Amino acid sequence: MQNLVNHIFEDTFVGYWLWDANTNLNSCNPTLLKLLAFSEADFIATETFWYDYLSQTDLNSFQQVFAELSQTIESRNYSFKWRLKLPNHEIRYVKAGFRNILNDFAIEAIVGSFIDITDETLRLLELQKEESLYQRTSQLGKSGSWEFDFGKNWFYINQPAQKLLQLESAFLDWDVVRTWFLIEEDYQAFERNLMALVSEQQSFLLEFEANKQLGLNKWFRIVAESKVIGRSSPKVFGVIQDITEYKLFDERLNVIFERSTDAHLVFDENGIIDCNVAAVQMLGCQDKATLLRYHPAHFSPDYQPDGMTSREKSQKMDALARQNGYHRFEWLHKRLDGTTFLAEVTLNPIRLNQKDALLVVWHDITDRKSAEAKLANTQLLLAETQLLTHSASWVFDLESASNTYSSAATEIFEIEEETGFANINPLNWIDDTAKEAYLQTIDKAIRNQEEFEIELPLVLSNGKKKIIRKIGKPTITENGKIDKIIGAILDITKERKSQESILWAKEQAEQAAIAKTQFLSTMSHEIRTPMNAVIGITHLLMQNAREDQAEYLKILKFSAENLLVLINDILDFNKIEAGKITFEEVDFSLKDLLINIRAALSQKAADKGIQLKLMMDDDLPEAVKGDSVRIGQILTNLVSNAVKFTDYGRVIISASILKKETDYTTITFEVKDTGIGIPQEKWDSIFDSFTQASSETTRKYGGTGLGLTITKRLLELQGSKIQLESAPGEGSIFYFDLRLKNSSFQFKKRTEPDMTSQKHPSLKGLKLLIADDNRINIIVAQQFFKRWDIESDVAENGLLALQMVQQANYDLVLMDLQMPEMDGYEATRQIRALNDDKFNKIPIIALTASAMLDIKDKAFSVGMNDYISKPFNPDELYLKIAQNGHKEVV
């Protein structure tokens, strides 16, 4: 055995490998390590390193052989021809043989020999390649074979080549070959490459334009390879092919692909593999090489105009193209400098180099879209202008005696759909007293081919009276005939009524408005302060009232709250009518606002035995910018109304995204109930001031009839419009859209307390300071604080509040606005100015007996976090404290 091992490591051209059955160790000689480019320092006797060089198929085959050699007590021999991949990625071909060595009927070892046959194998493959090339060229149309013998210095061409080149002899000299080439430089390139094959034994390919004698505009391709066979002189074998058609095709393709003003690109699974000059220019790249370095996704923004991500939409478009064989759509692209443009994209699935690919064409439609947008804007501007001016356009066709009106006319004539105009005769609308004058005006305009203008009183189909101004002009055809009358109509009803009502009364109205505002502001404070005691003590008494007392207290509570609603509505209406409404743009949580509105009204709904549900889109923005106070007021009005007029069933508040833009989100708000409903003829009038659907409604449900008027006005001032769908006995749906600015502000999530139960969860551990100079208000508030396990201290004025905040750690401050010594505004301002950061963070809630909106605005401007009006509702007070106190309810 030792002799065998010594023999393995002898200097030999054969690589040897030995596996010792007794020790399970591997050995190999230096020749094998060199053959497989393996470092001797890395060799480990316990591992069979050359296993990694085999393909899985070869490895499986060898392992089966190895098992047989190591387990069969008979001498066996096996041989393989393997293609090995070395660690440096070099390919080597080896002939391997393996046999087992026996000793006393036991397996002593397995020995393997490796002989490098790479050179012989490659030569064989080259011969096979030449044979294959020859076979292929013989099958090609318009091609032939040729041979050049360096020793004899002449060419031989086969019959197909003779026919192709219009030659009778198969043996040619250099002078004849020279006549093939139209351009001398091409011939010299052929001669130079051919001679270079003697020493380098490579190949070359040459395309050239043929001499005119072989035909006009003909092109040939020459492919050549050198070969040394035996001891004979080296030879070059080649193919000559007529490629005229391919050249013409390439030229046509070049015109279409390279000279097109549209961008042409080819995509495969790895990205962009080709493009034309137009694509380079369209994407703002320096050159083609620059463009090809980028993935197609680099030239798209994150989102497309429809809101889909570019990645998701591109996958969808690609799938449609492969499914249908063709797909066209619009796409927003991004240039290298970040600017965007809109293009019409065409996708065509193709096969290229035996792989799936896409032929892509981009047509820039920026100008077209701009023109369309301008036209649309013009049409929209016209429509909006007509709506704003209460005007519409019209055409009367004399031949068919039919009228055509613009869409704005539906509002003027109060017709639901434009199709309703088809069967309408304008004479049917004109008051009898003006019909004759109108007919005479039209007749005169036709006879004299002149413009006209006339004011007409109308009686609409719904019985309403209106006054319009009608302007018209005849149109004349090329033969001088009048075929149409075109013009405009303007609704001047309000103008005429306003003129009649405004002539003796503007100054008086202004004086009255000033007096009214001053009176309402004073009365608000004076009435609301004692009302706080009435409502607060009523709530306290109801906690432990006897059954006979409870009924009286409910009536007292209802009457007090109804009075408070009347006061609030009148004050808000007065503010709006005075034109002093301003809208804030602050960050707020839309979801929190909706949750708070539901929580504030859930007890009222529970008292009536109806459900109050809230439905929100999951993808509503976490934060937006706007006036949360006004939006909350609008929604509270609508939800409160819905609860008031619903005796059974449910009220549903919902918010969903209508349109999502980069900077804005348009949200649809809807309040739906199963209440008494509203007849269609009353839909408009319920939004009028001091108006309800019927006198029975007023008697049964109470109210001023101002809630919906205020809601409508607040929405109109924000560029929106209240919409209504309703039917008696089936309930109502009030809805509107608001376009709010997006915000990136992050709000802390907090748990809202359950307001549907009469018993409020404990707020034990919360300590607050109430600053108020009205003793009754303090007594009422502290009674509720005790029930909610809130610890409280009292400051009779703002100066004391400022001192006490610095002496104790309060979780929250309830700050009255009007106090002696120092009012709530100044106290808050000075607390916020204190050095310690905790004074900037402590929540301060304003207590105000005024419902005027500018009072609330001023409270926020000095640093207050929230406000609650007196008289306060205990549920609302609890909710405000729970939200701002940052304590978990128990």
Side-chain angles (χ1 to χ4, degrees):
M1 182 65 184
Q2 185 61 42
N3 292 335
L4 178 60
V5 172
N6 292 337
H7 175 69
I8 288 175
F9 287 91
E10 292 178 356
D11 187 16
T12 176
F13 72 92
V14 179
Y16 284 102
W17 165 78
L18 177 80
W19 172 73
D20 191 322
N22 296 318
T23 64
N24 195 31
L25 295 177
N26 295 274
S27 302
C28 61
N29 67 350
T31 304
L32 180 60
L33 292 175
K34 183 178 180 182
L35 171 66
L36 300 180
F38 195 86
S39 170
E40 187 172 352
D42 295 334
F43 177 78
I44 300 176
T46 57
E47 296 180 356
T48 310
F49 71 93
W50 52 268
Y51 277 16
D52 296 334
Y53 296 16
L54 297 177
S55 68
Q56 191 61 49
T57 302
D58 289 341
L59 180 59
N60 292 339
S61 177
F62 173 74
Q63 288 175 337
Q64 292 175 5
V65 167
F66 184 87
E68 185 174 344
L69 289 173
S70 62
Q71 297 171 15
T72 303
I73 314 301
E74 293 181 6
S75 295
R76 297 286 177 89
N77 289 284
Y78 291 95
S79 62
F80 300 89
K81 285 188 177 181
W82 282 336
R83 181 178 183 269
L84 303 180
K85 186 176 182 180
L86 276 58
N88 61 4
H89 303 293
E90 181 183 354
I91 301 298
R92 283 194 175 276
Y93 298 86
V94 299
K95 182 176 182 181
F98 299 91
R99 65 185 180 90
N100 53 4
I101 299 176
L102 306 179
N103 186 8
D104 296 332
F105 302 102
I107 303 299
E108 183 175 6
I110 295 176
V111 64
S113 61
F114 294 77
I115 300 175
D116 189 348
I117 59 171
T118 302
D119 292 341
E120 300 96 299
T121 303
L122 291 177
R123 281 196 296 269
L124 179 60
L125 291 174
E126 285 293 330
L127 290 174
Q128 292 174 348
K129 181 179 178 182
E130 285 185 6
E131 180 64 20
S132 175
L133 179 62
Y134 182 81
Q135 292 297 328
R136 288 198 300 270
T137 57
S138 65
Q139 296 172 5
L140 290 173
K142 298 185 179 180
S143 65
S145 300
W146 58 274
E147 173 186 331
F148 177 74
D149 190 316
F150 280 89
K152 299 178 180 178
N153 198 31
W154 50 249
F155 293 85
Y156 167 80
I157 61 174
N158 66 0
Q159 286 187 348
Q162 293 177 46
K163 184 177 181 180
L164 189 67
L165 298 169
Q166 302 177 20
L167 297 171
E168 297 180 356
S169 173
F171 296 92
L172 312 173
D173 59 18
W174 284 98
D175 291 335
V176 175
V177 173
R178 193 169 199 157
T179 62
W180 300 349
F181 297 86
L182 176 66
I183 301 173
E184 177 66 14
E185 286 77 9
D186 287 342
Y187 167 75
Q188 293 174 0
F190 170 75
E191 183 179 21
R192 184 170 57 254
N193 281 287
L194 190 64
M195 292 304 177
L197 293 181
V198 178
S199 58
E200 298 176 4
Q201 292 193 359
Q202 295 178 348
S203 63
F204 73 85
L205 182 149
L206 178 68
E207 293 182 357
F208 64 95
E209 187 174 3
N211 201 316
K212 303 298 183 184
Q213 66 185 26
L214 296 179
L216 293 175
N217 300 320
K218 273 189 173 291
W219 282 79
F220 289 89
R221 178 187 293 132
I222 288 179
V223 181
E225 272 191 18
S226 66
K227 189 64 59 180
V228 177
I229 302 176
R231 297 183 177 179
S232 62
S233 61
K235 295 183 178 180
V236 174
F237 301 89
V239 175
I240 185 166
Q241 181 184 14
D242 185 342
I243 59 169
T244 304
E245 292 182 1
Y246 297 105
K247 278 293 183 179
L248 291 174
F249 176 80
D250 284 345
E251 185 175 345
R252 289 194 294 268
L253 183 62
N254 180 66
V255 172
I256 296 171
F257 189 77
E258 288 297 336
R259 300 185 185 179
S260 172
T261 56
D262 288 339
H264 292 253
L265 306 98
V266 181
F267 295 171
D268 69 5
E269 60 186 5
N270 298 317
I272 306 172
I273 59 176
D274 201 5
C275 68
N276 65 352
V277 175
V280 175
Q281 297 171 345
M282 193 175 289
L283 294 174
C285 296
Q286 183 177 357
D287 50 36
K288 184 174 179 179
T290 302
L291 189 153
L292 296 181
R293 286 201 297 266
Y294 292 96
H295 190 273
H298 185 81
F299 299 107
S300 294
D302 293 338
Y303 290 89
Q304 289 297 308
D306 60 3
M308 286 185 68
T309 65
S310 293
R311 180 178 181 182
E312 291 173 344
K313 189 166 184 177
S314 67
Q315 292 173 348
K316 182 179 179 181
M317 299 299 101
D318 289 357
L320 287 171
R322 298 187 192 283
Q323 175 184 331
N324 302 324
Y326 168 86
H327 191 49
R328 179 177 291 171
F329 54 94
E330 291 182 3
W331 191 267
L332 185 65
H333 290 89
K334 182 180 68 174
R335 299 184 182 91
L336 209 57
D337 62 2
T339 59
T340 58
F341 65 98
L342 198 62
E344 185 180 71
V345 178
T346 303
L347 297 183
N348 286 285
I350 59 173
R351 291 285 293 177
L352 189 65
N353 297 329
Q354 299 182 345
K355 291 171 61 178
D356 289 331
L358 285 172
L359 176 61
V360 185
V361 180
W362 296 343
H363 178 65
D364 191 336
I365 57 173
T366 304
D367 292 339
R368 189 184 83 191
K369 283 294 179 180
S370 177
E372 291 175 354
K374 287 181 180 178
L375 178 60
N377 287 336
T378 300
Q379 294 174 338
L380 179 62
L381 180 62
L382 176 61
E384 291 294 333
T385 303
Q386 290 182 345
L387 287 174
L388 288 172
T389 58
H390 302 284
S391 63
S393 55
W394 63 278
V395 178
F396 178 65
D397 190 301
L398 296 178
E399 185 175 348
S400 62
S402 60
N403 291 278
T404 305
Y405 295 87
S406 66
S407 59
T410 58
E411 185 173 331
I412 296 176
F413 297 125
E414 301 186 10
I415 296 174
E416 293 184 11
E417 296 182 2
E418 295 179 42
T419 53
F421 286 127
N423 300 317
I424 289 178
N425 184 343
L427 287 175
N428 294 336
W429 301 329
I430 301 173
D431 188 86
D432 291 340
T433 59
K435 282 184 180 178
E436 187 62 32
Y438 173 69
L439 292 174
Q440 291 177 359
T441 300
I442 294 293
D443 182 63
K444 181 181 178 183
I446 294 173
R447 281 188 288 104
N448 299 335
Q449 298 184 0
E450 64 183 13
E451 299 178 6
F452 70 89
E453 180 176 335
I454 186 172
E455 291 188 6
L456 298 171
L458 303 181
V459 180
L460 305 182
S461 58
N462 60 11
K464 278 191 177 182
K465 294 183 178 181
K466 285 195 173 185
I467 301 174
I468 66 167
R469 179 181 294 121
K470 197 162 190 177
I471 303 169
K473 175 183 179 181
T475 62
I476 305 171
T477 62
E478 293 181 354
N479 58 11
K481 180 181 178 182
I482 295 176
D483 60 344
K484 294 181 180 66
I485 299 177
I486 61 172
I489 52 175
L490 289 85
D491 184 353
I492 59 172
T493 306
K494 290 184 179 180
E495 179 185 336
R496 286 290 175 262
K497 289 182 179 179
S498 297
Q499 289 174 350
E500 292 173 2
S501 61
I502 292 174
L503 294 177
W504 63 89
K506 182 179 180 181
E507 184 177 350
Q508 293 180 4
E510 289 176 350
Q511 292 175 352
I514 294 172
K516 180 177 67 174
T517 300
Q518 293 174 344
F519 172 77
L520 289 175
S521 179
T522 302
M523 292 306 296
S524 167
H525 188 273
E526 296 302 321
I527 294 174
R528 293 172 72 89
T529 299
M531 282 291 295
N532 186 49
V534 174
I535 293 178
I537 293 174
T538 301
H539 275 280
L540 290 171
L541 292 174
M542 289 179 69
Q543 303 292 324
N544 300 301
R546 298 196 310 268
E547 185 176 351
D548 60 329
Q549 295 172 333
E551 186 63 30
Y552 297 137
L553 290 170
K554 284 183 181 179
I555 295 172
L556 178 60
K557 174 176 174 287
F558 173 81
S559 300
E561 290 178 344
N562 213 32
L563 178 58
L564 185 61
V565 170
L566 296 178
I567 295 170
N568 288 340
D569 282 351
I570 292 171
L571 290 172
D572 286 342
F573 179 73
N574 179 67
K575 185 76 174 180
I576 293 170
E577 288 294 289
K580 295 182 178 180
I581 287 289
T582 57
F583 291 90
E584 292 183 325
E585 189 174 277
V586 296
D587 299 291
F588 71 95
S589 170
L590 186 60
K591 293 182 179 179
D592 282 355
L593 176 65
L594 293 167
I595 291 171
N596 292 344
I597 291 171
R598 179 188 178 276
L601 295 171
S602 59
Q603 185 60 54
K604 186 179 290 186
D607 290 344
K608 296 192 70 175
I610 62 175
Q611 296 177 316
L612 181 56
K613 294 186 175 182
L614 174 60
M615 299 173 65
M616 297 185 288
D617 272 3
D618 292 337
D619 55 349
L620 276 181
E622 290 297 329
V624 292
K625 286 182 179 289
D627 196 321
S628 60
V629 175
R630 267 55 176 229
I631 297 172
Q633 183 179 5
I634 291 166
L635 288 170
T636 300
N637 272 348
L638 294 177
V639 178
S640 181
N641 264 5
V643 171
K644 180 166 72 172
F645 293 113
T646 302
D647 294 324
Y648 63 90
R650 67 189 63 83
V651 173
I652 300 174
I653 313 165
S654 63
S656 58
I657 292 180
L658 178 64
K659 184 178 182 182
K660 196 167 187 177
E661 303 171 80
T662 303
D663 298 323
Y664 291 88
T665 300
T666 303
I667 300 171
T668 298
F669 297 91
E670 181 180 286
V671 177
K672 182 178 182 180
D673 63 58
T674 55
I676 61 175
I678 305 166
Q680 186 171 351
E681 62 271 16
K682 300 291 185 180
W683 286 6
D684 289 333
S685 61
I686 63 169
F687 294 102
D688 294 337
S689 306
F690 306 103
T691 302
Q692 292 189 338
S694 69
S695 58
E696 294 179 2
T697 302
T698 305
R699 289 195 299 272
K700 184 175 179 180
Y701 297 97
T704 60
L706 287 175
L708 289 178
T709 303
I710 293 169
T711 296
K712 178 185 177 185
R713 298 285 182 86
L714 288 176
L715 284 172
E716 288 173 345
L717 290 170
Q718 297 180 84
S720 183
K721 184 179 181 181
I722 189 72
Q723 305 283 344
L724 167 63
E725 294 178 12
S726 184
E730 297 181 9
S732 304
I733 303 175
F734 289 85
Y735 58 97
F736 60 91
D737 301 332
L738 267 184
R739 187 170 181 256
L740 298 172
K741 195 171 185 179
N742 295 328
S743 169
S744 59
F745 191 85
Q746 298 292 323
F747 289 95
K748 293 183 180 178
K749 293 187 178 179
R750 55 193 179 199
T751 305
E752 299 297 337
D754 182 6
M755 301 299 292
T756 61
S757 172
Q758 288 286 353
K759 180 175 174 57
H760 295 98
S762 172
L763 295 175
K764 191 172 184 178
L766 187 69
K767 184 176 181 180
L768 62 79
L769 174 66
I770 178 169
D772 197 327
D773 64 324
N774 188 296
R775 187 61 186 163
I776 297 176
N777 288 341
I778 293 172
I779 292 172
V780 172
Q782 287 193 315
Q783 288 300 315
F784 287 110
F785 297 161
K786 290 178 182 178
R787 295 178 185 273
W788 302 332
D789 298 322
I790 297 174
E791 183 182 349
S792 64
D793 292 334
V794 177
E796 287 78 13
N797 58 58
L799 187 60
L800 269 176
L802 176 62
Q803 296 170 357
M804 294 177 70
V805 163
Q806 299 177 70
Q807 295 167 0
N809 289 322
Y810 294 108
D811 298 300
L812 184 144
V813 177
L814 289 174
M815 184 76 75
D816 189 27
L817 296 180
Q818 297 183 6
M819 293 183 291
E821 300 292 335
M822 181 184 289
D823 62 25
Y825 299 117
E826 183 60 27
T828 300
R829 189 181 290 108
Q830 293 199 26
I831 289 172
R832 295 302 188 211
L834 294 173
N835 289 331
D836 198 321
D837 189 49
K838 72 176 183 179
F839 299 117
N840 192 44
K841 294 181 179 178
I842 183 172
I844 302 177
I845 300 177
L847 288 174
T848 173
S850 174
M852 303 303 285
L853 295 177
D854 53 353
I855 299 294
K856 300 170 186 176
D857 294 341
K858 185 177 179 182
F860 284 125
S861 69
V862 298
M864 294 186 175
N865 303 86
D866 208 339
Y867 69 89
I868 185 168
S869 298
K870 293 188 291 186
F872 55 76
N873 180 296
D875 292 336
E876 184 182 4
L877 178 62
Y878 176 88
L879 182 63
K880 298 281 187 181
I881 294 173
Q883 287 175 340
N884 290 280
H886 304 295
K887 293 287 186 181
E888 294 292 334
V889 295
V890 180

